[in-house]
Amino acid sequence: MLVVAGALSDKNTRERNKHAQLVTHTDEVVVALEEVGSTTKGAETGQRGYIITGEPSYLAPYNAAQAERPKKVARAKMLTIDHPRHQARVITLEQNIAFKMRKLTHTVAHSNTDHEAARRAVLTNESETARDHLHSPRAELEK
């Protein structure tokens, strides 16, 4: 009886540990995806600040995001390598963010030739916001 109870206890402990590892891994993926989204929002904030004010110092978050985004996306890919469905979602997210970043880059470049037109576009929200392309990371993982 004691052997059976010990075996069941050991099995339950292993299952709890496995479940805890899965939860921890999911949390790591969520954090990685949130960091990707945060970086993209920072780029958008910098771009908007620059275009509205014309002050080059506002481009600092935009430039930082350009440099950090590939690393953060690579981390999210690495964390989801064992789950094809999540990996596909990260790739879609990466494509959406790349599209958004191209739009931001285009608007910044356009502001150098026609600053007022770029400013009007930003002020009237002609361009979509980063959050239009980003969903809740936890919700994405639960699909």
Side-chain angles (χ1 to χ4, degrees), residues 5-27:
L8 287 175
S9 176
D10 185 54
K11 180 182 177 217
N12 288 339
T13 300
R14 278 185 273 131
E15 286 178 9
R16 264 196 317 265
N17 288 342
K18 182 178 178 182
H19 180 72
Q21 288 172 343
L22 289 173
V23 169
T24 299
H25 179 72
T26 299
D27 289 343

Side-chain angles (χ1 to χ4, degrees), residues 26 45 70 88 106 109 134:
T26 299
T45 300
H106 174 76
L134 306 173

Side-chain angles (χ1 to χ4, degrees), residues 22-41:
L22 289 173
V23 169
T24 299
H25 179 72
T26 299
D27 289 343
E28 288 175 341
V29 172
V30 168
V31 168
L33 293 174
E34 286 173 346
E35 287 176 355
V36 170
S38 177
T39 300
T40 305
K41 289 175 188 176

